Amino acid sequence: MGIVMPLRAAALLGAVMGMRRCGYPWPLRRSAVEELHTRYLPEDADPGAGDDALTRELESLAEAWEWLTAPRARMPRLFLTADTVTGMDPEPPRGYTDQVPDAEFQMLLGCSSREEALHIARTQLADGALRQAESAYRRVRRLRGRARRDERRAGFAPQRERLQDRARQRARTLGPEAPETLAAREELAALLWEHRRESAVPEYRAVWQGRLRTLGPDHPDTLAARQSLALTLRALARPEEAGAEIGEVLRDRRRVQGADHPDTLKAWELACRVDEDLMRRGARDRGTGPGTMPDREPDRLPDLESGLLSLVVASCRVLGPDHPDTLARRWDLGRMPRWRGAEAESAFELAPVVETAERVLGAGHRQVRRYHREWTAGLRDVAARHPEHRAAVADLVQALVRRLDGALGEDHPHTLAMRTELLRALRWDPARQEAGLTGAMESHRRALEAADPPGVTPDAGPEAAPDTDEAETMVRRLEAYRAAASETVRALTEAGRLPGREPGDQERLDLLFVAAWTLSDMGIHDEAVLGLRAIVRGYLLRHGERDPDTWRVWQALVVTLVRAGGRENLEGAAAELGDLVSAQTRALGADHSETLRVRSRMAATWASLGLLEEAEAEYREVLAALRRVAGPEAQETLDVEQHLAEVIGFIEEEAEREETQP
């Protein structure tokens, strides 16, 4: 009779083995093992229901550790200290070195320290588990960021207390409305803006009202405090209140400082942004959007356009047309025609703003990249709705790609994204799209090679200091790898000629497979399936259904659909396997080992979908064929026998449940 392991001891052992599979180094933290072991306890384990035949009583934690640390023949033995769990004798069986499922991995990773997460990241990266490596590196970065945030928060409280004490002390000695007291409260409001924005509102309001009484309504400091109050209210999504405040500020600044003063222009810009917030709120309340004027406040758009135009003219006169503030205002003005359905007018008006922003701020500037994304999305709408502008749209995007090639490089992620936009813009011109696709391929290949993360040898143990720079570098590199793969799939699937029989198509199919399989490894299943379906079509057209390479990419598609999970994807995998089995049967015969292996996988997919009778019938046919071809003692025959037994067991359990139901 075998040894029966107590429930809590089994759960502790499961946690230990799971942590080792995840990549935790020896020794394990005892506290982490004890925290995780509750996830491995059976749901029916209840220490208060020992009389129930289906329930076994839970032993105490001390008893479980005592059981696991006692020597027993053919049983794992752990070595325990006050803080750690060390060694396992014998080592876990080979099956425990397989890659841990992602859900369990995330659960186990969630209990890791920064040092442990770094070791896990290196281990998973060395094993080629890119998604799990990225998750672990992100945890390293997140834990470091949390530590810094805790440090900032720990510093915020005493800093706030210091500023509050200073303001109270000055109020006692100098008076509550003395300039020094109000300056201290303004400094406190600025601190609260960073950490407790809602709390900044009463402070800014008190500063403004105090200066209003002591300095008068026209003093620049009074106006600045009220403008800060309006800015805070807008940031808190309270545009009606913000509009009331900034309207008065703008009127007073124009009267006191003049219409062309830089501070007046800042207040004017804030007033326009608040007006746009109110217009957007009206559109959102009515369920409308750009291109449809909201009935609520119908005069707001013409007034907003007129105000922005005047602001841009003044900004060009005062600051110059190339000043970053002027460019931001020109951008806001250029977006307005889209609200009345004039997409083409808006897109073409924004073109010189984009080029000037690239020259002034640089093509890699965050604001410029945002301009690029919004602008090309608008150009895409223009090309789709206005055929007469398609050639002009393609020329604009092509010129943008040439500028980015020179400024950022051909393999920069932002350049690749704009290359994809170019292929979308050229879809109406197949000849130019073909040339654009040929030019893009080498850039995508170089980007994938440059971003491909190297394997890392895991460190010797948790005593190694966590390298936050390594975590930051690897997260960025994995992000670049995923972005390059994603853009490659988008770009190559945009080509209307893929798949095809042209000489260059095989090279494109190979590059697309590398990118799609990379996305599959990184857990981006939807895009991976999109690319792999295109590859399967290409191979079927180019090589036919009898080619082994066609079967290889077909099975890669099936694996990705299974990884994606969900009934729809599993049904898609079963359909693809059915087509693959038919093709291999015609090419190899029904009893060929490759055909039988795919049929076994199809039966497993049916079982996952709950089609147990279909799975049983398929397993029986495969088993009979394997006994004839490979012999009853072959490993593949024994594996299918085991799978068949499991399916039969599920069917019997289901029948028993149906019989016991009233």
Side-chain angles (χ1 to χ4, degrees):
M1 185 174 178
I3 299 175
V4 178
M5 187 180 298
L7 283 179
R8 196 182 295 277
L12 288 169
L13 183 60
V16 169
M17 290 183 169
M19 293 171 73
R20 289 294 288 158
R21 292 169 65 200
C22 181
Y24 278 80
W26 290 120
L28 303 176
R29 280 185 301 116
R30 181 171 173 173
S31 59
V33 176
E34 292 178 350
E35 179 181 352
L36 284 167
H37 94 281
T38 57
R39 315 286 183 92
Y40 291 85
L41 288 170
E43 294 181 359
D44 60 357
D46 181 4
D51 295 334
D52 190 336
L54 298 177
T55 305
R56 291 159 54 193
E57 186 175 354
L58 282 175
E59 74 278 20
S60 68
L61 199 58
E63 291 171 334
W65 281 125
E66 182 180 359
W67 196 96
L68 287 172
T69 53
R72 286 182 175 81
R74 297 186 301 279
M75 288 296 295
R77 182 187 180 192
L78 301 175
F79 301 93
L80 202 64
T81 69
D83 300 318
T84 63
V85 180
T86 60
M88 180 180 288
D89 182 25
E91 281 292 314
R94 177 70 180 88
Y96 281 93
T97 63
D98 295 340
Q99 184 173 335
V100 62
D102 191 63
E104 185 180 356
F105 177 86
Q106 297 299 334
M107 179 266 290
L108 294 165
L109 180 65
C111 290
S112 63
S113 65
R114 190 151 52 99
E115 295 85 350
E116 292 165 340
L118 182 65
H119 188 281
I120 291 168
R122 291 170 173 170
T123 301
Q124 298 299 327
L125 191 62
D127 290 343
L130 299 183
R131 182 182 185 184
Q132 297 182 349
E134 183 179 5
S135 296
Y137 274 123
R138 285 185 182 278
R139 179 165 177 80
V140 175
R141 190 175 66 174
R142 186 165 58 252
L143 290 175
R144 176 57 180 161
R146 188 180 301 169
R148 290 174 176 170
R149 187 165 58 251
D150 291 343
E151 291 171 3
R152 289 197 299 270
R153 286 176 177 171
F156 163 70
Q159 189 176 3
R160 178 183 59 183
E161 191 68 30
R162 178 175 59 82
L163 290 174
Q164 289 174 337
D165 289 345
R166 181 193 298 176
R168 284 193 291 265
Q169 182 179 1
R170 288 181 178 179
R172 285 194 302 269
T173 58
L174 303 175
E177 294 183 350
E180 294 83 356
T181 304
L182 296 176
R185 296 194 71 174
E186 188 173 34
E187 189 177 355
L188 173 61
L191 176 68
L192 293 171
W193 163 272
E194 297 293 334
H195 299 276
R196 302 285 190 275
R197 194 159 293 177
E198 191 72 46
S199 302
V201 171
E203 291 297 327
Y204 275 128
R205 195 181 298 279
V207 172
W208 162 55
Q209 292 175 345
R211 287 176 176 169
L212 180 66
R213 288 188 290 269
T214 58
L215 301 177
D218 296 341
H219 194 281
D221 290 347
T222 305
L223 297 174
R226 194 173 190 184
Q227 188 164 327
S228 297
L229 171 62
L231 184 65
T232 306
L233 290 169
R234 178 178 183 255
L236 291 168
R238 294 157 64 178
E240 289 86 357
E241 298 174 64
E245 299 295 344
I246 195 59
E248 294 296 323
V249 172
L250 179 58
R251 179 177 58 82
D252 291 341
R253 283 198 184 278
R254 282 173 172 164
R255 178 173 52 80
V256 174
Q257 296 175 298
D260 289 347
H261 193 281
D263 291 343
T264 304
L265 298 180
K266 282 285 187 183
W268 196 352
E269 179 181 3
L270 180 56
C272 289
R273 293 188 186 279
V274 170
D275 279 345
E276 186 175 358
D277 291 342
L278 290 169
M279 186 174 69
R280 289 180 183 277
R281 173 171 292 184
R284 187 169 58 249
D285 290 347
R286 292 188 52 81
T288 61
T292 305
M293 265 304 299
D295 293 340
R296 178 181 173 182
E297 301 181 85
D299 295 332
R300 188 174 294 279
L301 178 60
D303 290 345
L304 179 56
E305 277 193 293
S306 176
L308 278 170
L309 179 59
S310 301
L311 173 61
V312 168
V313 171
S315 188
C316 288
R317 185 173 60 249
V318 175
L319 303 175
D322 294 350
H323 192 279
D325 289 347
T326 304
L327 291 174
R329 293 157 189 169
R330 289 173 63 189
W331 181 265
D332 290 340
L333 176 62
R335 288 188 296 109
M336 289 299 105
R338 295 191 70 233
W339 280 93
R340 46 185 165 81
E343 299 95 347
E345 178 185 343
S346 175
F348 293 133
E349 285 183 1
L350 290 174
V353 181
V354 171
E355 293 186 37
T356 306
E358 291 171 14
R359 176 168 51 81
V360 174
L361 300 175
H365 193 276
R366 181 177 61 182
Q367 183 71 8
V368 176
R369 293 202 304 270
R370 183 179 71 83
Y371 289 164
H372 287 159
R373 288 191 295 269
E374 292 183 11
W375 183 50
T376 53
L379 288 172
R380 193 190 316 153
D381 292 340
V382 172
R385 299 175 186 176
H386 304 281
E388 68 275 14
H389 294 310
R390 286 171 182 169
V393 166
D395 291 340
L396 287 172
V397 181
Q398 196 160 36
L400 171 61
V401 170
R402 282 197 296 268
R403 296 197 302 270
L404 292 177
D405 281 347
L408 302 179
E410 295 181 354
D411 56 354
H412 191 278
H414 186 59
T415 308
L416 297 179
M418 293 303 104
R419 280 192 179 277
T420 304
E421 292 296 339
L422 174 60
L423 292 172
R424 288 171 176 155
L426 292 173
R427 70 175 63 184
W428 318 107
D429 189 341
R432 291 182 65 185
Q433 188 188 58
E434 173 66 21
L437 183 59
T438 301
M441 281 188 57
E442 192 59 33
S443 300
H444 283 282
R445 182 178 291 105
R446 281 197 299 269
L448 284 169
E449 292 172 355
D452 185 11
V456 173
T457 302
D459 57 8
E463 67 277 0
D467 190 344
T468 307
D469 291 338
E470 176 190 330
E472 184 66 31
T473 299
M474 291 308 301
V475 167
R476 290 182 181 274
R477 191 159 183 178
L478 287 163
E479 286 175 345
Y481 195 37
R482 182 173 59 253
S486 180
E487 288 302 332
T488 302
V489 168
R490 289 197 191 103
L492 294 180
T493 52
E494 284 291 332
R497 275 203 334 91
L498 188 76
R501 294 193 179 93
E502 297 300 321
D505 282 349
Q506 184 59 54
E507 186 180 2
R508 294 172 191 173
L509 289 168
D510 292 343
L511 181 60
L512 182 56
F513 181 80
V514 171
W517 191 248
T518 295
L519 292 175
S520 179
D521 280 342
M522 302 190 82
I524 314 299
H525 299 303
D526 290 343
E527 292 182 28
V529 168
L530 176 67
L532 287 166
R533 286 193 187 279
I535 295 166
V536 170
R537 291 195 303 270
Y539 269 82
L540 286 171
L541 185 62
R542 188 175 183 85
H543 301 285
E545 65 174 21
R546 293 175 174 268
D547 191 279
D549 287 338
T550 302
W551 303 337
R552 175 179 60 86
V553 298
W554 216 334
Q555 292 186 57
L557 171 60
V558 170
V559 169
T560 302
L561 286 166
V562 172
R563 285 177 174 178
R567 186 167 189 88
E568 183 178 353
N569 288 319
L570 288 176
E571 288 174 348
E576 297 291 345
L577 283 168
D579 293 340
L580 177 56
V581 166
S582 299
Q584 288 182 328
T585 301
R586 287 190 291 269
L588 302 174
D591 288 348
H592 193 278
S593 59
E594 181 67 18
T595 307
L596 295 174
R597 185 176 66 82
V598 176
R599 289 183 66 185
S600 178
R601 176 174 288 182
M602 184 169 64
T605 306
W606 283 344
S608 299
L609 286 166
L611 305 174
L612 299 179
E613 289 78 7
E614 291 86 342
E616 180 190 8
E618 189 69 19
Y619 272 134
R620 287 188 184 279
E621 292 183 11
V622 172
L623 180 59
L626 283 173
R627 284 172 176 168
R628 288 195 311 270
V629 175
E633 301 300 325
Q635 185 60 50
E636 54 266 32
T637 306
L638 298 176
D639 289 342
V640 171
E641 283 183 353
Q642 180 180 350
H643 296 326
L644 175 60
E646 291 173 354
V647 169
I648 292 174
F650 292 146
I651 292 174
E652 292 175 350
E653 290 176 5
E654 193 173 280
E656 290 176 1
R657 282 196 299 271
E658 291 177 355
E659 290 177 0
T660 57
Q661 287 178 354

